[in-house]
Amino acid sequence: MSGTKKKRRFGLLDGILCAVLLLTAAAAGCYFLAADRSAAEGYSVEENDHAVTLLAKAALTGEETELSAAQMNRLLQKKIDTSASCVQQILVRPSGTENEIEFCITVRAKEHDWVVSGRGTLLAETENNTVKAFVFSPEKLRLGRLPVPRSLFFSLLQQDILPDGITAADGKLFFSASLVPASLASFRVTGTAFVFRPKGPVDQLMDKIDDFVRQSPEEQSQSWQELRQELAEQAEQALAEGKDAFDAFRQKLQGQYSSLDTEQIFSEVESGLQSAAGAMEDFVQQNGDKISDAVQDLLDALQSGASSGD
């Protein structure tokens, strides 16, 4: 009698082993996809601090200034380098669509650098005509090459791992305006660059006057001398630029602060302008009577403003 072997039936144990193998293979595949760091390629970081110089010069005029992606990344990296966090690098670049960027964040965890990338909108959050924060709303997030939902991304993005000046809330990332070494009047992203408009000297002065007005009488008495000096310096600078600049400064000061109830502001500015006018005798001789007329016009306006504040 010839023996025949019975075929082995696929049992429960076999099914469990196959399931374990499939899960192991899937987990390994997910891990290698998540651990991929190729998303950071294609970004650049400028090696020098030219961006800081550009913004400082722009703050002297209040003109718009464009920064490239490499320059923007330099500003971000300088902030990250001075902050203790798990975030190793934040890279950004315009996506080609207005107010939209692509980004790449490298986080150090479990002895490995994990890269989160994606795109989203970047807008300025303003208060009293001043940029207070940059608000980023991310979309299409990936961990390595593995797509991840926004809810998971933000549940993992705890505040203690973020650098100072960066917070996460309501599905958005908030970057403090202090990341930029200039007070900003506006910010936008074009298809190719990041566009900043720093506040010019007169705008910065107006901000300080606003702060002064909100102070208590005791605080005003302590900060008046500094404000008085800045008012006189700005008036003198406008005077040096000519009658049109001087008139523009006068009109802006009058238009915004004609109802101030502190006579001290006007009387102290008048005193400072008289001193400045005396120091500019040579300039007046070269440019004729129009400068003297401009000085007298402003002094008359200030005296009128002081009288209306009584």
Side-chain angles (χ1 to χ4, degrees), residues 41 44 58 89 91 97 103 167 177 198 231 243 248 259 274 279 293:
E41 299 173 0
S44 59
Q89 192 174 51
L91 299 169
T97 301
F103 80 98
T167 57
L231 281 164
K243 188 175 186 303
S259 61
Q274 288 172 335
D293 292 341

Side-chain angles (χ1 to χ4, degrees), residues 23-296:
L23 288 173
T24 301
C30 288
Y31 175 84
F32 284 113
L33 287 174
D36 185 88
R37 291 182 286 176
S38 61
E41 299 173 0
Y43 291 86
S44 59
V45 181
E46 191 170 74
E47 295 183 358
N48 55 48
D49 291 328
H50 185 52
V52 176
T53 303
L54 286 176
L55 291 172
K57 289 181 178 179
L60 298 176
T61 61
E63 296 180 351
E64 281 193 341
T65 295
E66 290 189 357
L67 295 188
S68 66
Q71 291 169 335
M72 188 69 174
N73 290 333
R74 172 68 174 180
L75 292 179
L76 290 169
Q77 194 60 48
K78 284 174 67 68
K79 184 65 176 179
I80 292 172
D81 289 342
T82 59
S83 179
S85 75
C86 297
V87 176
Q88 303 293 301
Q89 192 174 51
I90 298 178
L91 299 169
V92 296
R93 63 188 176 198
S95 69
T97 301
E98 186 174 354
N99 292 324
E100 184 182 79
I101 65 169
E102 296 175 349
F103 80 98
C104 184
I105 302 176
T106 301
V107 180
R108 184 71 177 176
K110 297 186 180 299
E111 300 182 352
H112 185 82
D113 290 339
W114 303 89
V115 175
V116 180
S117 61
R119 66 171 56 200
T121 58
L122 180 63
L123 301 171
E125 182 178 73
T126 61
E127 181 181 333
N128 297 325
N129 299 316
T130 302
V131 175
K132 295 297 183 182
F134 307 99
V135 184
F136 178 58
S137 302
E139 302 170 1
K140 300 178 181 178
L141 294 164
R142 291 180 178 274
L143 177 60
R145 287 188 291 171
L146 187 68
V148 294
R150 289 181 56 187
S151 57
L152 175 61
F153 171 70
F154 280 99
S155 68
L156 297 175
L157 202 62
Q158 301 299 318
Q159 185 57 47
D160 58 353
I161 75 168
L162 292 172
D164 295 338
I166 303 176
T167 57
D170 301 325
K172 299 176 182 178
L173 285 174
F174 295 82
F175 296 78
S176 170
S178 63
L179 293 171
V180 179
S183 180
L184 299 178
S186 66
F187 167 81
R188 59 192 174 90
V189 182
T190 68
T192 57
F194 300 89
V195 184
F196 299 84
R197 186 169 76 81
K199 289 197 166 188
V202 175
D203 289 324
Q204 295 175 42
L205 176 61
M206 296 303 177
D207 288 343
K208 292 182 179 180
I209 295 177
D210 286 335
D211 292 339
F212 180 84
V213 172
R214 288 192 291 266
Q215 291 175 350
S216 66
E218 181 180 354
E219 291 173 326
Q220 286 182 345
S221 65
Q222 294 174 353
S223 60
W224 168 246
Q225 289 303 320
E226 180 181 349
L227 179 59
R228 172 191 177 280
Q229 181 179 352
E230 292 204 30
L231 281 164
E233 288 176 353
Q234 287 302 321
E236 184 176 356
Q237 176 63 34
L239 182 66
E241 293 175 2
K243 188 175 186 303
D244 289 343
F246 194 78
D247 286 344
F249 174 77
R250 179 195 64 192
Q251 291 169 7
K252 191 163 188 176
L253 194 67
Q254 278 187 284
Q256 193 163 343
Y257 303 105
S258 60
S259 61
L260 285 177
D261 59 359
T262 169
E263 182 179 347
Q264 186 181 22
I265 289 180
F266 296 101
S267 61
E268 290 285 354
V269 170
E270 178 182 343
S271 174
L273 284 171
Q274 288 172 335
S275 298
M280 296 182 65
E281 184 177 354
D282 292 340
F283 182 85
V284 172
Q285 289 178 352
Q286 293 175 8
N287 293 274
D289 294 337
K290 63 180 182 179
I291 299 300
S292 296
D293 292 341
V295 174
Q296 190 59 52

